[in-house]
Amino acid sequence: MNSAPTFSDFYQAINGRPPFPWQARLAEGVAETGEWPAEVGVPTGMGKTACLDIAVWYLASQAYREPGQRAAPTRVWWVVNRRLLVDSTAEHAERMATILAQPSASGLSGRDREVVSAVAERLRSLSADPNAPPLDVIRLRGGVASRTPVDPSSPTILLCTLPMYGSRLLFRGYGSTLRQIDAAMAGTDSLVLLDEAHLAPHLRALIPALAECMPGAELLLGESRSRPRISALTATGDPSGGRFDLDKEDEANPVIRQRLHAAKPLELRKAREANNPAKHLADAAIELLQQAQKPSACLVFANTPATARETLENLRGRLRDDEAETLLLTGLSREREAERIRARILDSEDGMAATRSPGLVRQRHLIVVATQTLEVGADVDAEYLVTEACGVRALTQRLGRLNRLGHHPHARAVYVHLPAPQQRRGTAAEGSVNESWPVYWHEPAQVLERLESACTHVDDCVVDLSPVRVAEVLGPPGDELGRAPEVLPGILWEWTKTTTPPEGEAPVEPYFSGIAGAQYMVSLIWRVHVPEEGERLWPRASDREAVDVPLIEARDALKDDQDLRRLAFDGATVESTHAGDLRPGDQVVLPADSGLLDSFGWNPRASECVVDASLTGNGLPLDEKAIERLCGVNMGEQLRIALGGDGDEDIEQADREEAVEVLLARLRSVASPHGWGAEEWAGFIGALSSNIEQARGEVARLRITEPQVQLPSSDFSGEFDELSLGAVTIRLDEHGQAVGARARSIAERIGLPVHLIDVVGHAGALHDVGKADVRFQRWLDPEGQHSGTIAKSNMPRHRWEAARAASAWPRGGRHEDLSARLTHARLARGADWIASDERDLLLHLIISHHGKGRPLVPPALDGSAGVVVHEIVGMAVQAPADLAAVDWDQPRRFRKLNERFGPWGLALLEAAVIRADHAVSAGASLTQERL
């Protein structure tokens, strides 16, 4: 393997400039000690995203070590306290991944290309997949997860919110369909970088507490990688706790010095009455811009989405369009709407991106009204700033978006303080009452006192809050973190049961956010077609179409008697519910004509039809109500003919095809629906295939025309066994051998002990042997076209359910249950190829490879008196094939293995087998022999 470049060389190659002194010093310290500091306390605007570069370089530098001796974690989680819609950190991570994958195409040459290529080669060597990119980057943007790591051995950066990480760590991942895999990815082999996470102390305390719940658990990856390591990136942390800070060399750096001393004069304005904060914010913004010498960028921070929206409406009512462009940015927005707002904010000429040249002349003012979503992660640079009264941490972060790089000597800020709207009972003394503000409780009173004490003139209070002075003036944060509940072994045991969650289990949010700070949210998506109860959602929910809304707001906006649909625990089917029964983390599917969303995001007052963001790239549901919602036309008769009538009619295929063509022609002729551009609508309709596709329990549809074969999603749990479908037909033993080899490779690359590598490999090889059941074989091959036993069928997906019914395979039957029975029968006949004390683990890894068996495999209505027969490791064995029978020994295995390996260790072992199966299934046409 090539020699490892220095961090400075790597940073220079990726970023086109040398690192700051603190960045190089931190990289050297991590490499020497193998530890990250508890806090990285450099001020905002000083390049904290370089921590990602350090983590990636550190991992590459240790690639030559034996996996069991490696200290650098494979995954890096960048965790923020709220959803970010302008996320420069994610953009930087994706850019770094692109450069590592294609250094020449990224414009690198000479020494820079050599350095990046050397790091990329080292990162590739860590992955079990030879075709994997050097670095994978995944954004978990909402309460719906569109993608998770495909391989535990692949270097990966994941960017998400605190609830998205915390829920995964505790086996209740928001939007997750395979919760044990996401738990393994969060709870092992991970570095967690908490970016200004105000509630980080609860997460820091939680991780060691979880380890204490299973004190005897075997550390599979050694001391440094078996559990997550946390480092908080905060400009307002505790300097007494071993925090990493700037030093004199940093302060002498001309760029850092310019940023530290950037002009940020803040004017304090106090209102007399505690009402109408939106008007005060708008007044201040208009006054600042009226005094500006030229069109400028102004950022207005409000504490709640409601105040932010009222501020926007106030500004729009008082400013002409040719005077100012006004935008609203809150965390309550879908990606469809957010990307348009983001494009305007980050426009290189008229936006407020930090990379914009300060010499460019604007045509009009730009005012962005935002909530806390713009406090962190956004590399924006405003000339003027107005902020509602807030806490120390929030004000420090908000000021970080003003004159960020020190290019605007005329920069000014206004701090608007209103009296507290309410009183609350305090904790300092029994019966005391304190002023209280929304979001920040009593802290604005402290900030006011400190700002006033720093004023030189009482009537005209202006305070210098440049980064070099802000901590001195504002002092330590006074936010109340409160307490978190104690995690107990019994509570953790309930969470590990991911097949069917126990009724009344403890919610996970307070354990990582604290009781007072727990964010109870639901994810909302809008569809033109809403399935009936028990049917499956098509297409699968995506994070791009989801909005996370506070549970209490969702309940208030939705009608109590409205029959709602939410995604069930499997993440695929829908179930009926009502507003009062919604639970934190629920994913609710709303009809597109229910309103509640506008061009800026969640708006309970909005009534217009919402664009179904799932249609583009997927296709058109062939449902009468769905098409009416979409474009207001009734195509009931054409749909009836196209779908073959009601079952009693004999409709010719030619008539069905003609009905589809009539439908498409009608859709081409209608005006673009509300929210769709004319070109967007024409492109969508023009891309539709005329072939109808349908699968069990899903709406019929016309898919977008795509030339490539659609392979199974690596994130689909196989609830309905569609992972048995592929581009080609595959023999059972060949598939098992390929999965076993890939599982073994994953286990080796992540550094599992040798004896466990063997178990993982055998589990991969035997995971599908239950498919040898004659009924399952008839399901895969109804015509008997193939000799021998097969594991994958190239049957069209729309025929899958009919073939199952004809085969007599029971609905809901699990082939992995039979795989475990056959393996158990083989073990009973003697097996020197597996240690006796590893047999429970082998059986569990087989039975859990579709996410079941934690702790039970649900029985199916069967009653078969037959047997399943197959040759396993050179010996023919048989087992009962009745899938109504329950393996009551599985809960004992599950409990025992959790106690031995710990919940996250066992989940990691499962992940090696499951992801190996997914990888081979998705790449079957490349890795297996065609029949």
Side-chain angles (χ1 to χ4, degrees):
M1 187 176 291
N2 55 51
S3 59
T6 65
F7 171 73
S8 294
D9 285 345
F10 175 62
Y11 187 90
Q12 172 76 48
I14 293 293
N15 299 281
R17 60 183 182 276
F20 289 143
W22 77 263
Q23 295 167 338
R25 191 169 71 254
L26 177 60
E28 292 170 2
V30 169
E32 289 177 5
T33 65
E35 298 286 343
W36 281 77
E39 288 187 356
V40 177
V42 299
T44 183
M46 303 298 161
K48 283 185 291 187
T49 54
C51 290
L52 289 179
D53 304 58
I54 294 171
V56 170
W57 168 81
Y58 178 44
L59 175 61
S61 72
Q62 291 203 335
Y64 69 93
R65 297 189 179 187
E66 290 294 325
Q69 301 301 314
R70 179 159 54 86
T74 304
R75 285 172 295 284
V76 182
W77 293 78
W78 185 281
V79 179
V80 296
N81 206 29
R82 62 189 64 88
R83 187 183 183 197
L84 303 182
L85 298 181
V86 179
D87 193 352
S88 59
T89 304
E91 292 166 359
H92 174 71
E94 289 165 351
R95 177 177 171 274
M96 178 164 53
T98 299
I99 294 174
L100 284 165
Q102 299 177 314
S104 298
S106 300
L108 299 187
S109 60
R111 174 61 178 164
D112 287 347
R113 184 172 62 185
E114 293 177 4
V115 167
V116 169
S117 297
V119 172
E121 179 185 343
R122 286 171 160 262
L123 293 174
R124 282 193 179 97
S125 72
L126 296 169
S127 178
D129 183 358
N131 299 314
L135 180 67
D136 194 12
V137 176
I138 298 173
R139 292 198 213 192
L140 302 176
R141 283 177 287 212
V144 177
S146 296
R147 198 161 71 89
T148 54
V150 297
D151 184 341
S153 68
S154 293
T156 306
I157 293 175
L158 299 103
L159 305 108
C160 67
T161 62
L162 180 62
M164 288 292 273
Y165 175 78
S167 64
R168 277 158 173 71
L169 179 66
L170 298 180
F171 290 86
R172 287 296 177 268
Y174 294 161
S176 173
T177 56
L178 283 170
R179 288 167 177 78
Q180 72 272 37
I181 288 185
D182 284 329
M185 299 300 98
T188 66
D189 205 7
S190 292
L191 168 67
V192 181
L193 298 175
L194 291 159
D195 185 17
E196 297 297 343
H198 300 179
L199 303 179
H202 300 305
L203 185 61
R204 291 188 199 176
L206 174 62
I207 289 176
L210 292 173
E212 291 174 4
C213 287
M214 298 285 183
E218 191 173 327
L219 298 180
L220 298 182
L221 303 181
E223 183 66 31
S224 62
R225 293 169 53 224
S226 290
R227 299 190 181 100
R229 298 300 178 96
I230 295 183
S231 183
L233 315 179
T234 175
T236 54
D238 181 7
S240 65
R243 187 174 70 175
F244 180 93
D245 280 309
L246 300 180
D247 64 7
K248 292 183 178 180
E249 183 182 3
D250 294 300
E251 294 169 0
N253 181 279
V255 176
I256 289 182
R257 184 170 62 249
Q258 179 178 353
R259 296 182 185 181
L260 284 175
H261 294 275
K264 303 192 183 191
L266 180 139
E267 176 188 349
L268 172 61
R269 293 187 183 179
K270 293 192 296 181
R272 294 183 178 181
E273 296 181 358
N275 57 10
N276 207 350
K279 181 180 183 303
H280 290 285
L281 295 174
D283 288 345
I286 291 174
E287 182 178 329
L288 284 175
L289 293 177
Q290 286 175 340
Q291 297 173 10
Q293 299 296 314
K294 58 182 180 179
S296 304
C298 180
L299 187 54
V300 181
F301 276 108
N303 292 342
T304 66
T307 299
R309 189 173 284 275
E310 290 175 15
T311 304
L312 177 82
E313 293 171 354
N314 190 302
L315 288 167
R316 288 191 161 184
R318 298 163 62 183
L319 295 170
R320 301 189 313 272
D321 289 344
D322 62 342
E323 288 182 290
E325 178 181 11
T326 52
L327 300 172
L328 175 66
L329 189 71
T330 74
L332 307 180
S333 180
R334 296 188 303 183
E335 184 63 18
R336 177 187 173 88
E337 288 73 32
E339 63 187 6
R340 301 179 183 184
I341 303 170
R342 183 165 55 240
R344 290 296 308 120
I345 294 175
L346 299 180
D347 185 271
S348 59
E349 295 185 2
D350 295 325
M352 61 172 64
T355 54
R356 178 183 180 273
S357 172
L360 291 175
V361 178
R362 300 177 187 274
Q363 299 302 310
R364 55 179 176 165
H365 297 303
L366 172 63
I367 306 176
V368 177
V369 184
T371 55
Q372 294 93 326
T373 189
L374 212 60
E375 285 180 8
V376 296
D379 196 13
V380 297
D381 188 8
E383 297 160 83
Y384 299 100
L385 183 143
V386 178
T387 175
E388 190 176 358
C390 57
V392 170
R393 299 182 197 271
L395 182 55
T396 301
Q397 290 305 310
R398 293 175 184 186
L399 288 169
R401 315 305 134 184
L402 173 68
N403 195 16
R404 187 170 177 82
L405 305 182
H407 293 158
H408 308 303
H410 55 282
R412 289 176 58 192
V414 174
Y415 183 89
V416 178
H417 181 92
L418 278 69
Q422 59 185 345
Q423 301 287 313
R424 71 176 180 87
R425 195 157 296 282
T427 57
E430 184 73 24
S432 66
V433 176
N434 299 321
E435 292 180 304
S436 179
W437 286 260
V439 183
Y440 298 103
W441 292 29
H442 70 269
E443 202 176 5
Q446 297 177 348
V447 173
L448 175 65
E449 180 182 350
R450 293 168 185 175
L451 289 175
E452 288 182 328
S453 66
C455 290
T456 54
H457 301 286
V458 177
D459 296 331
D460 184 18
C461 180
V462 177
V463 182
D464 174 17
L465 287 181
S466 57
V468 76
R469 292 201 67 230
V470 66
E472 174 188 347
V473 172
L474 296 182
D479 44 358
E480 296 180 2
L481 298 177
R483 66 181 185 88
E486 180 183 3
V487 63
L488 301 173
I491 294 174
L492 177 58
W493 170 241
E494 296 296 281
W495 289 333
T496 62
K497 300 174 183 177
T498 56
T499 299
T500 305
E503 196 68 33
E505 66 179 9
V508 296
E509 291 83 358
Y511 291 85
F512 52 77
S513 292
I515 295 173
Q519 300 177 357
Y520 297 107
M521 312 287 282
V522 294
S523 293
L524 306 181
I525 66 173
W526 284 258
R527 293 290 182 90
V528 293
H529 177 261
V530 179
E532 294 299 322
E533 183 168 16
E535 294 181 346
R536 294 169 64 179
L537 184 70
W538 181 88
R540 290 190 64 204
S542 162
D543 59 0
R544 288 183 56 83
E545 60 176 326
V547 174
D548 286 353
V549 175
L551 176 58
I552 190 170
E553 287 191 33
R555 285 176 172 169
D556 287 344
L558 299 171
K559 298 176 182 177
D560 289 337
D561 59 351
Q562 186 176 354
D563 187 17
L564 300 174
R565 296 287 183 266
R566 66 181 170 198
L567 289 181
F569 198 68
D570 62 16
T573 56
V574 298
E575 59 187 20
S576 180
T577 189
H578 293 87
D581 296 326
L582 291 177
R583 304 164 303 200
D586 274 351
Q587 302 160 59
V588 183
V589 185
L590 297 176
D593 54 5
S594 61
L596 308 178
L597 192 83
D598 63 18
S599 60
F600 290 119
W602 168 251
N603 181 4
R605 293 179 293 174
S607 58
E608 292 183 319
C609 190
V610 179
V611 173
D612 183 340
S614 74
L615 298 180
T616 304
N618 288 298
L620 177 70
L622 295 180
D623 175 80
E624 181 178 355
K625 183 62 177 176
I627 293 177
E628 284 190 25
R629 285 189 181 120
L630 177 61
C631 53
V633 298
N634 188 309
M635 302 297 293
E637 180 62 17
Q638 285 75 21
L639 287 172
R640 185 187 66 80
I641 297 172
L643 296 176
D646 57 10
D648 296 328
E649 300 175 84
D650 185 15
I651 299 178
E652 297 291 337
Q653 182 63 29
D655 293 334
R656 298 180 63 180
E657 293 174 357
E658 181 182 355
V660 172
E661 293 303 328
V662 171
L663 169 66
L664 290 174
R666 180 72 177 91
L667 294 177
R668 292 188 195 102
S669 68
V670 302
S672 55
H674 172 74
W676 291 73
E679 291 185 7
E680 183 184 20
W681 175 250
F684 169 68
I685 298 300
L688 291 175
S689 167
S690 60
N691 296 320
I692 297 176
E693 178 183 303
Q694 188 170 15
R696 178 169 78 84
E698 292 181 359
V699 64
R701 60 264 185 172
L702 300 180
R703 290 293 297 267
I704 298 295
T705 303
E706 294 175 340
Q708 69 272 25
V709 176
Q710 293 299 299
L711 295 173
S713 165
S714 63
D715 285 330
F716 187 58
S717 64
E719 181 73 21
F720 299 93
D721 244 321
E722 282 91 341
L723 287 178
S724 296
L725 296 174
V728 295
T729 300
I730 307 298
R731 297 187 188 279
L732 180 59
D733 288 344
E734 289 171 348
H735 176 69
Q737 290 167 9
V739 173
R742 174 59 70 91
R744 177 179 290 273
S745 179
I746 292 174
E748 290 172 344
R749 298 305 174 94
I750 63 178
L752 291 178
V754 174
H755 65 288
L756 296 182
I757 293 174
D758 288 339
V759 180
V760 167
H762 285 305
L766 299 173
H767 75 289
D768 267 357
V769 293
K771 291 181 179 180
D773 184 285
V774 292
R775 297 167 297 174
F776 205 98
Q777 288 301 299
R778 285 199 299 267
W779 188 9
L780 291 172
D781 186 16
E783 309 299 329
Q785 296 178 351
H786 304 291
S787 61
T789 310
I790 62 175
K792 302 287 178 184
S793 171
N794 62 356
M795 178 189 305
R797 193 165 180 260
H798 67 271
R799 293 179 50 198
W800 189 232
E801 171 58 13
R804 181 207 61 78
S807 73
W809 180 264
R811 177 174 292 180
R814 303 309 311 173
H815 70 268
E816 59 267 33
D817 194 355
L818 299 187
S819 298
R821 295 183 195 181
L822 284 168
T823 303
H824 189 275
R826 178 64 178 87
L827 294 174
R829 300 276 295 275
D832 56 4
W833 42 273
I834 188 79
S836 59
D837 56 351
E838 303 299 351
R839 295 182 179 184
D840 276 348
L841 176 60
L842 174 66
L843 293 173
H844 174 75
L845 294 181
I846 291 171
I847 209 168
S848 65
H849 83 267
H850 277 298
K852 309 299 180 183
R854 300 177 56 89
L856 277 174
V857 176
L861 190 61
D862 189 0
S864 169
V867 295
V868 56
V869 181
H870 194 61
E871 182 177 300
I872 298 180
V873 194
M875 184 180 296
V877 294
Q878 68 178 31
D882 183 3
L883 289 167
V886 177
D887 181 2
W888 293 109
D889 201 34
Q890 175 58 19
R892 177 198 62 79
R893 288 190 210 104
F894 182 58
R895 182 88 188 216
K896 174 183 174 183
L897 294 170
N898 270 279
E899 292 171 350
R900 176 182 171 187
F901 298 110
W904 296 271
L906 180 59
L908 181 64
L909 292 166
E910 293 175 40
V913 176
I914 294 171
R915 285 314 197 196
D917 184 25
H918 289 171
V920 173
S921 296
S925 60
L926 300 177
T927 60
Q928 299 291 323
E929 175 188 348
R930 295 176 182 268
L931 294 182

